[in-house]
């Protein structure tokens, strides 16, 4: 590698780090290309542009290595996993993982990375966040119902099972109680989710502008005395801007202008989702979660072994749902998983103790 006069010869450790950076940049470019291969239109163009940027960073490390920029191995295990997921799925979960990977860029603290490279990575994080936000908006209603349903099923039915066990009932009574809790809870969750989503959508619809006969209204408004500007001010537009917008709309007589900024079809409709989809998701995932603590008893286990197996299975399932929620939200998956586990364990422990107390009092 060519050195500037007086420059120190890079150490072997420096060269190894540069080769590792080179490999990681190649892998990141591959991730973005694989994601672009599963998309069309503007999203595809954006992802391909990010791949080009990562290639630019790769060229920086290759230039530092000079003649030593021989073919390198694959990037980090995390990036290889992201590339594999991008090729097969390309879902919002993959984008969320990529977003999290971009937040951990080493460039701000790396003396051999340029300030422009560090700035690029920060911008890349925001670009991926924007792309992921589109997918999050599309799945958030159903995903919220699924995660809430699964967690509620896991925690409530484990608590129910432990509560009756604490009360000293037989294994057959535990199975019956668990299955009854599963069905009652799943039906209640599904119905409640349907009503909740439908009510929220109706509230949104009631707040949306009514543009019926807008062209007729605009043609007959008095140019010098009208309340069109008040429509915009009522939706949060400053008075001066509202007056200017009203003037332009009246001059053009464009019915589309009847809707104030932010007053058109709300993105919240997309976020809320449909009532039937959310209800079905909530029902299925509640039932799936509620079945977990009953499984050991259905397979013939009794007493303490059944309780231990049920608690372990529910704990693993709670950590899985917590980690999935963390990935989608861009947060740390492990921290979310442990939080879910702690909440579930606390609820189950309290219910078991209460069941034991009531059982002793009634006995």
């Amino acid at each position: 590698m060519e050195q500037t006069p007086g420059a120190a010869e890079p150490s072997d450790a420096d060269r190894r780090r540069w080769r590792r950076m080179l490999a990681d940049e190649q892998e990141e470019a591959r991730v973005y290309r694989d994601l672009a291969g599963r998309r069309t239109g503007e999203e595809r163009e954006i992802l391909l542009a990010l791949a080009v940027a990562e290639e630019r960073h790769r060229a920086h490390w290759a230039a530092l290595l000079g003649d030593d920029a021989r073919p390198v191995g694959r990037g980090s295990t995390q990036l290889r996993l992201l590339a594999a997921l991008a090729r097969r799925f390309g879902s919002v979960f993959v984008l969320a993982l990529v977003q999290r990977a971009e937040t951990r860029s080493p460039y701000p603290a790396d003396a051999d990375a340029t300030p422009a490279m560090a700035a690029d990575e920060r911008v890349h994080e925001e670009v991926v966040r924007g792309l992921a936000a589109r997918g999050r908006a599309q799945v958030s209603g159903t995903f919220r119902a699924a995660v809430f349903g699964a967690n509620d099923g896991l925690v409530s039915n484990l608590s129910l099972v432990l509560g009756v066990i604490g009360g000293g009932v037989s294994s057959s009574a535990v199975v019956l109680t668990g299955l009854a809790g599963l069905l009652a809870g799943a039906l209640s969750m599904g119905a409640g989710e349907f009503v909740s989503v439908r009510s929220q959508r109706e509230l949104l619809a009631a707040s949306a502008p009514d543009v019926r006969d807008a062209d007729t209204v605009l043609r007959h408004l008095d140019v010098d005395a009208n309340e069109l500007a008040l429509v915009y001010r009522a939706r949060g537009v400053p008075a001066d801007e509202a007056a200017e917008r009203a003037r332009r709309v009246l001059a053009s007589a464009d019915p589309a202008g009847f809707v104030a900024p932010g007053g058109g079809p709300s993105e919240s409709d997309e976020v809320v989702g449909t009532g039937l989809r959310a209800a079905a998701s909530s029902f299925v995932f509640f039932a799936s979660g509620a079945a977990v603590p009953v499984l050991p008893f259905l397979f013939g286990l009794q007493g303490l072994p059944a309780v231990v197996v049920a608690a372990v299975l529910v704990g693993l399932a709670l950590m899985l749902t917590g980690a999935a929620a963390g990935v989608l939200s861009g947060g740390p998956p492990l921290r979310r998983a442990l939080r879910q586990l702690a909440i579930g364990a606390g609820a189950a422990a309290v219910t078991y103790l209460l069941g034991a107390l009531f059982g002793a009092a009634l006995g």
Side-chain angles (χ1 to χ4, degrees):
M1 182 181 72
E2 294 184 3
Q3 298 291 314
T4 58
E9 180 72 18
S11 65
D12 290 340
D14 286 334
R15 292 180 181 276
R16 286 195 298 271
R17 180 167 53 83
W18 294 347
R19 282 193 289 269
R20 186 170 64 251
M21 294 291 190
L22 176 61
D24 283 350
E25 291 293 358
Q26 288 182 170
E27 205 66 56
E28 283 194 66
R30 183 177 293 110
V31 168
Y32 286 125
R33 287 199 185 91
D34 290 336
L35 284 170
R38 302 184 66 86
R39 282 167 167 75
T40 58
E42 186 180 34
E43 287 193 11
R44 175 183 173 83
E45 294 177 6
I46 292 171
L47 289 165
L48 288 175
L50 291 175
V52 171
E54 301 297 354
E55 288 288 356
R56 188 171 64 246
H57 296 173
R58 185 203 66 79
H60 169 81
W61 301 112
L64 285 179
L65 287 165
D67 295 336
D68 198 28
R70 58 182 181 272
V72 295
R74 302 292 298 275
S76 66
T77 302
Q78 180 191 28
L79 289 173
R80 293 201 303 272
L81 176 61
L82 280 178
L85 292 173
R87 283 192 298 274
R88 290 166 176 78
F89 303 106
S91 67
V92 62
F93 283 97
V94 180
L95 280 172
L97 288 170
V98 174
Q99 174 190 328
R100 184 160 174 76
E102 291 286 4
T103 65
R104 296 195 294 267
S105 171
Y107 290 167
D110 194 303
D112 296 315
T114 67
M117 292 168 65
D120 283 349
E121 293 298 302
R122 182 67 180 84
V123 170
H124 294 177
E125 176 190 346
E126 292 306 312
V127 173
V128 177
R129 190 192 308 277
L131 291 175
R134 301 182 184 187
R136 287 186 178 112
Q138 293 171 357
V139 305
S140 60
T142 303
F143 182 76
R144 175 187 58 81
V147 170
F148 181 58
N151 277 277
D152 198 14
L154 288 163
V155 175
S156 66
N157 226 28
L158 177 64
S159 299
L160 180 63
V161 166
L162 291 182
V164 295
I165 289 175
V169 302
S170 64
S171 294
S172 59
V174 171
V175 172
L176 180 60
T177 302
L179 292 177
L182 183 157
L183 291 173
L187 290 169
S188 175
M189 285 287 294
E193 195 68 35
F194 178 81
V195 171
S196 173
V197 172
R198 284 297 295 270
S199 298
Q200 191 170 357
R201 290 181 69 86
E202 288 165 0
L203 286 172
L204 291 171
S207 300
D210 186 352
V211 296
R212 292 176 300 170
D213 303 324
D215 53 345
T216 303
V217 172
L218 291 175
R219 285 199 306 270
H220 291 89
L221 278 177
D222 187 327
V223 175
D224 298 317
N226 69 81
E227 288 74 40
L228 183 57
L230 298 182
V231 174
Y232 308 139
R233 292 176 64 184
R235 293 187 175 275
V237 180
D240 292 343
E241 183 181 339
E244 174 60 22
R245 181 179 175 85
R247 186 192 63 76
R248 292 198 307 268
V249 171
L250 285 171
S252 64
D254 181 7
F258 197 72
V259 179
S266 173
E267 291 182 2
S268 299
D269 274 347
E270 189 177 1
V271 173
V272 171
T274 65
L276 285 175
R277 185 183 303 170
S281 176
S282 185
F283 177 92
V284 170
F285 281 93
F286 182 97
S288 300
V292 173
V294 186
L295 289 176
F297 299 93
L298 288 175
F299 282 97
L301 289 179
Q302 298 181 12
L304 183 61
V307 172
V308 171
V309 172
V312 169
L313 291 176
V314 169
L316 292 174
L318 284 171
M319 292 185 70
L320 178 62
T321 58
V327 167
L328 186 64
S329 64
L334 181 59
R335 187 185 305 169
R336 302 293 175 86
L338 293 176
R339 184 180 68 183
Q340 294 289 87
L341 178 62
I343 293 172
V350 169
T351 310
Y352 176 81
L353 291 175
L354 291 175
L357 288 174
F358 286 131
L362 294 175

